[in-house]
């Protein structure tokens, strides 16, 4: 999630995971928050992966975030978080 931005405090990551209701899901991964996600691993649902992308964007504190169709398939409660 931090993409080699080691200046991001773990507390910020945990706060956003909690806000997006991802804490239990991430903690259940083989190495918890330290699990590397890549390739065709099917450890997480598409919705969870989408939420993680928004957490990553929030951690990056981008001045502008362009979202194209990413919210169309998300439940309304998740959309409201974004």
């Amino acid at each position: 999630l931090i993409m080699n931005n080691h200046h991001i405090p773990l507390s910020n990551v945990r706060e956003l995971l909690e806000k997006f209701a991802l804490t239990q899901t991430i903690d259940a991964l083989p190495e918890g928050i330290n699990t590397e996600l890549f390739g065709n691993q099917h450890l997480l649902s598409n919705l969870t992966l989408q939420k993680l992308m928004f957490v990553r964007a929030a951690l990056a504190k981008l001045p502008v975030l362009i979202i194209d169709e990413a919210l169309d398939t998300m439940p309304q409660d998740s959309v409201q978080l974004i």
Side-chain angles (χ1 to χ4, degrees):
L1 287 173
I2 61 172
M3 300 287 291
N4 291 324
N5 294 323
H6 299 288
H7 68 280
I8 298 173
L10 184 58
S11 60
N12 290 13
V13 175
R14 285 278 180 199
E15 180 182 333
L16 284 168
L17 290 175
E18 184 69 32
K19 185 177 273 190
F20 280 86
L22 292 170
T23 303
Q24 287 183 320
T25 301
I26 298 303
D27 288 345
L29 291 172
E31 295 180 47
I33 199 166
N34 295 314
T35 302
E36 290 188 29
L37 302 173
F38 55 90
N40 291 327
Q41 293 177 330
H42 296 286
L43 296 173
L44 302 170
S45 70
N46 286 337
L47 176 60
T48 299
L49 291 172
Q50 283 181 306
K51 287 180 176 183
L52 286 173
M53 293 303 109
F54 286 111
V55 169
R56 180 182 286 168
L59 289 169
K61 297 186 179 183
L62 303 170
V64 176
L65 178 62
I66 298 172
I67 302 170
D68 184 25
E69 298 180 16
L71 303 178
D72 293 347
T73 59
M74 292 184 85
Q76 190 60 35
D77 60 333
S78 295
V79 172
Q80 289 177 349
L81 290 172
I82 298 164

